[in-house]
Amino acid sequence: MCEDAAIVTRIGTIFLGGPPLVKAATGEDISAEDLGGATVHCSVSGVTDYFAGTEEDGFEIVRDIVATLNVEPLSPALLHSEEPVMQSDVLDALSGIDFIDRSRLYAVIGRIVDGGRFREFKQQYGENLTTGYAFIEGRCVGVVGNAGPLTYQDALKGSHFTQICQQRQLPLIFLQNSGPLEKHETFTRSLCIDELHQAMKGRAAMMGAVSCVTVPKITFNIGNCHGDDNYTM
């Protein structure tokens, strides 16, 4: 029902039938938090996009969301670029690492965006894809970076995020980072047939979304990119 959804843990809940209905239908006792709380919807279902620890965190998230809407009049503060807070010369060292995991991917992003500020979208959903908003030379952009092969959840998140960026006319920065070919092949072999089919369906959806958006897209290969990841990213 909305483009961005933030939920406050232990306060916000989402479900079609609450704990009393579950008890009547199945005889199971379950809390509202376990049935439809922030952890469930941020990390399992993907219904919500931002996990807030407190109501104050939730208000801060909403402020950041408004800053990414890209509508007139833009705040004068958004028109001035800042230097990244992290030293950019370390990027040379990061480029020589065999595999850039998610924490090192954050280190790359922090060295290319204004002030090192990055508001991640669906942080807890999808283990190998990082999506979020940042400013580069005063312009709001969407950042999409993977840290390994794309799972079904990763691809759904990527599709959702690229479509939002299209609607808001935000340029997209892709950071290709599938890791070593051996690790990529091992991951593929570890999936059962159903999981592999799901992953392929998700990647196809993201590939379609990426190919249809008309905003500027810039791709950097920072850690190899194999198979269909090359097209999806």
Side-chain angles (χ1 to χ4, degrees):
M1 298 294 291
C2 58
E3 295 174 14
D4 296 86
I7 186 169
V8 182
T9 184
R10 295 184 298 277
I11 296 178
T13 53
I14 303 172
F15 35 65
L16 294 177
L21 184 59
V22 173
K23 175 67 173 178
T26 68
E28 180 182 357
D29 290 311
I30 187 169
S31 69
E33 184 69 19
D34 290 337
L35 182 62
T39 299
V40 172
H41 288 306
C42 285
S43 61
V44 181
S45 71
V47 168
T48 52
D49 309 315
Y50 301 96
F51 181 98
T54 64
E55 287 186 324
E56 288 73 18
D57 291 340
F59 288 128
E60 188 65 30
I61 289 170
V62 172
R63 295 186 186 98
D64 285 350
I65 292 172
V66 172
T68 69
L69 296 180
N70 198 30
V71 293
E72 299 290 347
L74 295 176
S75 167
L78 302 179
L79 304 179
H80 301 289
S81 63
E82 300 178 46
E83 290 296 321
V85 293
M86 301 179 181
Q87 295 179 341
S88 58
D89 54 2
V90 182
L91 288 172
D92 291 336
L94 288 170
S95 66
I97 297 174
D98 288 338
F99 178 62
I100 299 176
D101 59 16
R102 197 163 181 172
S103 63
R104 288 169 176 163
L105 182 61
Y106 291 141
V108 172
I109 296 171
R111 286 168 169 80
I112 63 176
V113 302
D114 291 2
R117 292 188 296 273
F118 178 63
R119 170 60 74 183
E120 190 165 358
F121 177 82
K122 287 188 180 295
Q123 182 180 28
Q124 299 183 18
Y125 187 75
E127 58 184 12
N128 290 343
L129 188 71
T130 296
T131 56
Y133 304 98
F135 286 84
I136 296 180
E137 296 190 356
R139 175 66 185 266
C140 187
V141 300
V143 180
V144 182
N146 63 320
L150 297 175
T151 65
Y152 176 67
Q153 291 81 6
D154 293 327
L156 288 186
K157 175 168 69 173
S159 301
H160 186 184
F161 183 71
T162 55
Q163 289 169 341
I164 290 177
C165 289
Q166 168 68 20
Q167 184 172 359
R168 297 178 185 174
Q169 289 297 292
L170 301 178
L172 283 161
I173 308 297
F174 290 90
L175 303 177
Q176 291 183 339
N177 173 38
S178 295
L181 178 60
E182 297 78 12
K183 184 178 181 66
H184 189 277
E185 293 175 341
T186 300
F187 172 82
T188 302
R189 287 194 297 267
S190 69
L191 301 177
C192 69
I193 295 298
D194 289 342
E195 291 173 332
L196 184 59
H197 285 174
Q198 281 291 90
M200 292 297 103
K201 286 174 61 178
R203 294 173 189 175
M206 181 174 172
M207 196 180 302
V210 171
S211 62
C212 289
V213 298
T214 59
V215 296
K217 299 185 285 285
I218 300 175
T219 300
F220 296 94
N221 191 313
I222 63 173
N224 298 317
C225 203
H226 310 289
D228 57 287
D229 286 0
N230 186 49
Y231 304 101
T232 312
M233 288 294 298

